[in-house]
Amino acid sequence: MATEQEHQTPASAGNNLLGLGVGGGSKVERIKAESRYLRGAIAEELAQDSSHFSEAQVQLIKFHGIYQQENRDLRQARKAAGEEKAYQFMVRSRIPGGALTAEQYLVEDDLAGRYANGTLRFTTRQGIQLHGVLKHDLRATIRAINEALLSTLAACGDVNRNVMACPAPARNRAQAQVQEVARQIARHLAPRSRAYHEIWIDGQHVQTVGTPDDEEVEPIYGPTYLPRKFKIGVAFPGDNCIDVYTQDIGLVAELDDGGELAGFTVLVGGGMGMTHGKADTYPRLGTPLCFVPAAEALSVVETIVTIQRDYGDRQNRKHARMKYVVEERGIAWFRAELERRLGHAVADPHPLHWEGVDDHLGWHEQGDGRWFLGVYVENGRVRDTDACQLRTGLRKAIETFRPGIRLTGQQNILLTDLTAEQREPLEALLRAHGIETDPSKLGVKRYAMACPALPTCGLAVAEAERVLPGVVGEIGRQMEELGLAGERLSLRMSGCPNGCARPYMGDIGFVGRSKDLYNIYVGGDWENTRLTTLYAASVPLREVPATIRPLLVLWRDERTPGETFGDYCHRVGVEYLRQRAQTLDERQLSGLH
């Protein structure tokens, strides 16, 4: 139980003091405090004939859904030529539950060709990213997104970001209610400041006079918003397709005997990011906190956000996520603080039962006489290649059949609300563009994910999206040689330890350690309720498949019936795996028993 003094002196050292420019905090905290509710000098610098923003505005534009980046492939050549960096911008749309219309998708596709690099990227949080946008095209891009009734506001920055939800079309009223809860949370926790519309939509920058009332402008966040990014996901019973344990707040729906939405078991304190060499940073799974009736979910979520606002670490951004508040103060303290702020007790969390993770690929009945088709998108990148004209094929399919669109947490796309009569012509159209619609033919790549990493992400220390297909292909060939063809194996790769592809979950995770070097993690479970464990550090990229091969041999020869790769590695432990991998001879590694 927290003491009264603890309640009065949270780690933020007083959010309002920071907002008045009196308190301490990191450099980013001071930038937020002086920004006049996310205005800063964005409008002024946007009007300048330059290719990039200043350091302070780079922090603020994140709240508006924009990251300033550069094409790092060109860095050395431009530096040698005495030229500035090849600045460009990523624009991310916030799409609660990944649900959008055919018209909205086509607008994003148009913008990808008009202002971006000719590709769309589906994120691991069910959003859409446009890469390669130039500074002078930012306003036109964001205005067009908003005219399509989408938004980039709070897709990035120290606020609640895109709210995830199971994307499968509603088969019953309860599933529709779950998706509506995600939309309600997104609306409720969106920043209230007018800065976004003033700068990007109205095109008029309004100067604020004096100090606005915090409760009037940002009643939930206050003038310095949250200490760090904040993530929320809503899971349907039994299906952990949104990786609910990786969220700052995870809501797991529960249905009553009549199939109606009864409420949610609330998890808190999940998060993937860490920093190499810093033991006080680590990935963490969400901890069950309480059970709340459906009608009270929004109030409880808001209250949890305010606890993070007041107690999150504003001095050290690498230690600022809510998972550290939960881990260091304890779940009992967190629940007591929640109850104190709510003014009433909350119920104990209910036991959770998972049937697995449904990627929703292939054809499925919706339950209303219509169908949906889940289409695989390698690493979420929608582009045309010689082998597969994915971008062109999807666009033609969406223009022709006008389906609903849902994006998944595995970076894939669902085409929904299709009639039985539309199935065959849609299949034919997609096949004509080289797009596979049968997930059973995808092999190992079906369960692979990667973050963008190089050349655009400024945090990347190694490749991810561009090299994972090669790694997956080699591991797939090894599995065929070892008699493991058709077995499920999830592979996740991130170009840095922040873990945007959630590599600390699943069967195998690859995390960039330095250029062409990766830490390899193993031993997560198929339901994504258990973290992986470090197996090998700083493995050169060219040696990654060979490092995995002995583990595949051991799994094949020593697993129990039906045991997944992750469960096997977890059961025997990484020390055993390291020792046994050294004892395998060439005959065993070649695939012969």
Side-chain angles (χ1 to χ4, degrees):
M1 178 70 71
T3 65
E4 193 63 31
Q5 184 177 2
E6 282 178 311
H7 289 313
Q8 293 173 356
T9 56
S12 63
N15 193 57
N16 290 332
L17 289 179
L18 280 171
L20 295 172
V22 179
S26 68
K27 180 189 293 186
V28 176
E29 289 300 311
R30 292 190 291 275
I31 291 171
K32 290 186 290 184
E34 297 167 1
S35 73
R36 291 169 295 120
Y37 296 94
L38 308 181
R39 292 175 175 86
I42 296 173
E44 291 84 352
E45 293 193 17
L46 191 64
Q48 296 172 358
D49 184 19
S50 65
S51 62
H52 60 285
F53 290 94
S54 64
E55 181 182 358
Q57 311 323 308
V58 166
Q59 297 299 327
L60 295 178
I61 61 174
K62 294 178 184 178
F63 291 81
H64 299 256
I66 308 163
Y67 276 89
Q68 180 168 294
Q69 301 178 330
E70 65 162 311
N71 185 338
R72 292 171 62 181
D73 285 346
L74 303 178
R75 179 181 290 181
Q76 295 303 319
R78 293 177 73 92
K79 184 177 181 180
E83 300 174 342
E84 71 171 13
K85 296 177 180 178
Y87 287 107
Q88 58 185 43
F89 295 83
M90 180 269 279
V91 178
R92 180 186 295 159
S93 293
R94 176 174 54 87
I95 307 172
L100 64 164
T101 66
E103 290 71 22
Q104 289 170 331
Y105 178 91
L106 293 173
V107 167
E108 294 273 3
D109 185 77
D110 285 339
L111 294 172
R114 191 183 314 164
Y115 299 126
N117 65 0
T119 73
L120 293 165
R121 197 171 200 283
F122 303 153
T123 76
T124 57
R125 294 196 62 77
Q126 301 177 286
I128 292 178
Q129 292 180 177
L130 300 175
H131 289 262
V133 180
L134 300 180
K135 181 177 172 230
H136 58 72
D137 290 326
L138 282 173
R139 179 174 281 145
T141 301
I142 293 175
R143 183 174 289 169
I145 289 171
N146 278 265
E147 287 174 350
L149 302 183
L150 294 173
S151 178
T152 68
L153 176 63
C156 323
D158 298 344
V159 286
N160 175 59
R161 298 190 178 184
N162 199 41
V163 180
M164 298 183 72
C166 175
R171 299 188 181 195
N172 51 50
R173 185 167 177 268
Q175 193 155 12
Q177 289 174 319
V178 165
Q179 293 164 349
E180 177 58 27
V181 166
R183 288 189 288 269
Q184 289 175 357
I185 293 171
R187 286 194 299 267
H188 188 67
L189 295 181
R192 309 288 175 84
S193 169
R194 284 277 307 162
Y196 179 78
H197 284 83
E198 289 171 10
I199 296 169
W200 306 106
I201 313 305
D202 301 336
Q204 297 179 347
H205 184 43
V206 179
Q207 294 286 340
T208 56
V209 179
T211 303
D213 185 337
D214 298 343
E215 294 184 357
E216 179 181 335
V217 179
E218 294 290 8
I220 299 173
Y221 293 124
T224 49
Y225 297 84
L226 296 180
R228 202 67 168 82
K229 60 187 174 183
F230 200 90
K231 300 178 178 180
I232 299 175
V234 189
F236 199 69
D239 180 10
N240 190 20
C241 68
I242 63 158
D243 277 352
V244 72
Y245 290 90
T246 68
Q247 316 284 340
D248 289 271
I249 302 176
L251 302 173
V252 184
E254 183 173 309
L255 309 185
D256 62 21
D257 293 339
E260 294 285 319
L261 179 64
F264 298 92
T265 288
V266 181
L267 313 174
V268 293
M272 289 284 94
M274 59 170 285
T275 302
H276 290 311
K278 292 188 178 294
D280 61 344
T281 67
Y282 42 81
R284 187 184 189 280
L285 299 183
T287 303
L289 175 68
C290 62
F291 179 85
V292 298
E296 299 175 18
L298 196 60
S299 173
V300 169
V301 165
E302 177 186 326
T303 304
I304 293 171
V305 169
T306 67
I307 295 175
Q308 164 63 357
R309 178 197 67 198
D310 296 340
Y311 285 92
D313 188 345
R314 292 183 184 266
Q315 306 294 326
N316 179 7
R317 287 182 64 80
K318 295 183 183 300
H319 187 257
R321 293 289 298 275
M322 193 175 75
K323 62 184 176 181
Y324 300 115
V325 177
V326 177
E327 180 69 20
E328 293 164 13
R329 291 180 176 267
I331 196 68
W333 175 89
F334 201 95
R335 177 168 169 172
E337 180 65 8
L338 172 66
E339 293 177 336
R340 185 185 74 83
R341 295 186 181 215
L342 288 172
H344 62 79
V346 292
D348 290 340
H350 292 183
L352 299 178
H353 304 284
W354 301 104
E355 298 170 12
V357 174
D358 191 345
D359 61 13
H360 307 294
L361 293 183
W363 283 105
H364 302 266
E365 290 188 76
Q366 292 184 184
D368 60 358
R370 292 180 176 258
W371 295 76
F372 76 88
L373 173 64
V375 178
Y376 171 78
V377 180
E378 187 171 60
N379 296 325
R381 183 70 66 176
V382 182
R383 63 181 174 185
D384 288 346
T385 66
D386 291 340
C388 176
Q389 292 77 54
L390 180 61
R391 183 180 167 214
T392 299
L394 281 178
R395 180 176 183 89
K396 287 185 177 179
I398 292 168
E399 285 177 328
T400 303
F401 298 98
R402 297 285 164 169
I405 306 295
R406 301 289 178 92
L407 308 180
T408 79
Q410 292 80 34
Q411 304 172 291
N412 300 317
I413 185 171
L414 312 184
L415 308 178
T416 72
D417 304 311
L418 297 161
T419 66
E421 293 74 22
Q422 290 175 317
R423 288 185 57 178
E424 187 173 334
L426 174 58
E427 285 260 16
L429 188 157
L430 294 175
R431 282 197 302 269
H433 289 84
I435 301 171
E436 181 59 68
T437 60
D438 182 355
S440 68
K441 296 180 180 179
L442 294 171
V444 181
K445 70 179 183 180
R446 174 175 181 173
Y447 303 109
M449 296 199 303
C451 70
L454 296 172
T456 55
C457 180
L459 298 176
V461 297
E463 295 275 4
E465 178 184 339
R466 295 195 294 193
V467 302
L468 183 59
V471 173
V472 169
E474 181 57 34
I475 290 176
R477 285 189 288 274
Q478 291 183 0
M479 292 181 68
E480 291 181 4
E481 293 170 3
L482 296 171
L484 294 169
E487 297 283 356
R488 297 187 306 177
L489 191 71
S490 63
L491 305 167
R492 298 179 174 191
M493 178 179 281
S494 283
C496 82
N498 288 304
C500 292
R502 302 190 287 273
Y504 310 111
M505 310 290 286
D507 288 316
I508 305 174
F510 307 108
V511 177
R513 188 69 178 84
S514 186
K515 180 177 173 57
D516 293 330
L517 296 178
Y518 296 83
N519 288 351
I520 299 178
Y521 294 78
V522 300
D525 62 337
W526 195 255
E527 294 76 22
N528 293 331
T529 67
R530 182 176 67 228
L531 290 174
T532 52
T533 303
L534 179 63
Y535 169 72
S538 298
V539 178
L541 177 64
R542 65 182 181 278
E543 297 177 12
V544 165
T547 304
I548 296 299
R549 189 179 186 103
L551 306 187
L552 296 175
V553 172
L554 294 172
W555 172 44
R556 181 197 64 186
D557 296 344
E558 299 181 357
R559 61 180 169 172
T560 60
E563 189 173 35
T564 66
F565 179 86
D567 285 346
Y568 165 74
C569 292
H570 178 73
R571 174 171 62 82
V572 301
V574 293
E575 289 300 328
Y576 174 86
L577 293 172
R578 291 174 187 144
Q579 294 170 6
R580 287 283 288 119
Q582 299 297 320
T583 67
L584 297 179
D585 57 32
E586 288 300 321
R587 182 174 180 276
Q588 292 169 306
L589 290 174
S590 69
L592 300 174
H593 288 274

